[in-house]
Amino acid sequence: MDSIGRARTLIDLGRHEQARAELAKALADDPASTEAWCLMAQCEQKAGDPQAMLHAARQALASNPDSEWAHRLQSLALHKLRRHEEAIAAAREATRLAPHQWQQYVVLVTALIPLLDKHYVEATEAADQAVQLAPLQAETHLTRGVLNGAKGNLPEAERNYREALRLDPENAAARNNLATIELRSNNLEAATAGFAAALAENPRLQVARDNIDLVCRRVLRGARLAAQTVFIGTGFVTITYDGGPTFPTVVAALLAVMWLVMVAKLVGRLAKPVRSHLGRLIRNDRRHTPTVLSTVAFIAAALAAAWMPVSVLTAGILATVVYFVTDRLRRARTA
C-alpha cells in the first residue's frame, strides 16, 4: 500500500497525525497531487481544523481547478468558518463540474442552510436532487432532514432521520438529530438514549457529547428551580401562619419530600449512560458546583424556615426571586 492508501486508512481510524505524515511523504514525491491535497483537507476536517482544511483544499484547486472534490471540500471548510456566501459559490461550482454526483448536492444544501431565507427554493431543490440521485444513501435523507428541521418542519425531519437510520442503522448523526426532536417533545428517555447511542456509534461526534451535557445542565437547573419553589412556598406559609412552628415545619418537610420525588423521577427518565454522566459531572465538574450547592442550600433553608425570624425569611425570599429572574434572563439572551 502506498502513502496515499495508508493515509486513507489512517483518516478513517481517526489517526490524523499519522495520516498527515503519510500525506507529507506523498506530497514530497508529488507536490501537485490533487488527491493528496484533498485527503489532507479531509484529514483536517476530521481533526476539526477548518482553516487548515481550507488551505489544503485550495492547494488541491491550484493543482487542478476542475476538481469537484476540492471545490466540495473548500465549501465545507468555508461553511465551518462561517463564510457562507463563499461556501455557496464553491458548492455551486462543485455541482456544475459533477452534476450527476449526489455528494455535491448534499454539500450545497449544507452551505445554503445558514442563509435559508434567501435560498429556500434552491436548498429544497438541491435536497430533492440528492435523494433522487442516491435514494439508498442515508446521507441524502439525513441532509433532507436537516433542511426540514431548519424549515421548522419537524415531523418531516423525523421521517427523514428514520429513513436514514433504516438505510444505515449506525448513522450517528441521524440518531443524534432524531434525539434532538425527541428532546423538543420532552421525551427525555428517548432523547438521552439517542444521544448516548450516537456517541457510542461515533465517539468523536462532539455534538452528541454537547447534547448530553445540555440535558444534564437542564436537569440540574430544574432541580434548583424546584428547590427555590420549595423555599418560597415554605416561607409563604411561615410568614402568613399565626400559630407556632409545627405546621410550617410539616409543610416544609412535605414539600422537601415532593422535591425529592420530583428529582428522582426526572433523573429516572434519563437513559442509564446519561445518568452515569450526570453523576460524574456533579462529582468532577466544578462548573456545576454552584448549582448543586445552591440547590442544597434552598432545601436546607426551606426546612429551617419555620424557625427563622420573619425579616430574615422575607429577605431570603426576595433575594431568591431576584436571583431566579436574573438567571432566567441571562440564559434567554445567550440561548
Side-chain angles (χ1 to χ4, degrees), residues 78-137:
L78 290 165
H79 171 73
K80 287 291 186 182
L81 293 168
R82 300 182 184 276
R83 294 161 60 176
H84 300 306
E85 292 289 359
E86 294 174 79
I88 291 169
R92 285 173 176 162
E93 182 63 12
T95 59
R96 186 190 69 81
L97 290 166
H100 301 300
Q101 291 184 8
W102 62 268
Q103 292 92 336
Q104 274 59 266
Y105 296 96
V106 165
V107 171
L108 179 57
V109 174
T110 301
L112 291 168
I113 283 176
L115 302 177
L116 190 57
D117 290 343
K118 188 177 176 182
H119 302 288
Y120 182 92
V121 174
E122 184 181 5
T124 302
E125 290 176 349
D128 290 344
Q129 183 67 12
V131 173
Q132 288 173 15
L133 289 170
L136 299 181
Q137 283 287 342

Side-chain angles (χ1 to χ4, degrees), residues 9-217:
T9 301
L10 291 166
I11 290 171
D12 290 338
L13 293 173
R15 294 158 63 179
H16 305 116
E17 290 299 327
Q18 292 169 278
R20 288 190 190 96
E22 292 294 338
L23 290 169
K25 293 178 187 176
L27 289 167
D29 294 334
D30 182 8
S33 171
T34 303
E35 183 180 13
W37 279 116
C38 284
L39 284 171
M40 184 69 82
Q42 191 176 2
C43 179
E44 300 297 357
Q45 177 188 19
K46 291 183 178 292
D49 189 342
Q51 194 63 57
M53 179 186 178
L54 179 61
H55 170 75
R58 286 182 168 169
Q59 290 293 110
L61 287 170
S63 63
N64 181 6
D66 292 330
S67 169
E68 53 78 20
W69 189 13
H71 283 288
R72 191 167 76 232
L73 290 165
Q74 179 180 227
S75 177
L76 290 171
L78 290 165
H79 171 73
K80 287 291 186 182
L81 293 168
R82 300 182 184 276
R83 294 161 60 176
H84 300 306
E85 292 289 359
E86 294 174 79
I88 291 169
R92 285 173 176 162
E93 182 63 12
T95 59
R96 186 190 69 81
L97 290 166
H100 301 300
Q101 291 184 8
W102 62 268
Q103 292 92 336
Q104 274 59 266
Y105 296 96
V106 165
V107 171
L108 179 57
V109 174
T110 301
L112 291 168
I113 283 176
L115 302 177
L116 190 57
D117 290 343
K118 188 177 176 182
H119 302 288
Y120 182 92
V121 174
E122 184 181 5
T124 302
E125 290 176 349
D128 290 344
Q129 183 67 12
V131 173
Q132 288 173 15
L133 289 170
L136 299 181
Q137 283 287 342
E139 194 72 18
T140 63
H141 296 278
L142 170 62
T143 301
R144 183 184 262 174
V146 173
L147 176 60
N148 280 316
K151 291 177 181 178
N153 189 351
L154 297 184
E156 190 62 33
E158 181 178 353
R159 282 192 287 272
N160 297 145
Y161 296 142
R162 292 193 184 281
E163 178 63 14
L165 287 169
R166 186 187 69 81
L167 295 167
D168 179 11
E170 296 182 357
N171 191 305
R175 195 167 298 283
N176 172 81
N177 292 1
L178 182 60
T180 63
I181 295 177
E182 300 284 6
L183 185 60
R184 290 190 185 191
S185 303
N186 201 32
N187 190 344
L188 271 181
E189 186 171 2
T192 53
F195 294 140
L199 195 59
E201 288 158 3
N202 182 2
R204 297 193 297 273
L205 189 65
Q206 186 60 41
V207 67
R209 195 181 307 277
D210 293 341
N211 284 333
I212 290 173
D213 286 341
L214 172 65
V215 171
C216 290
R217 288 196 302 272

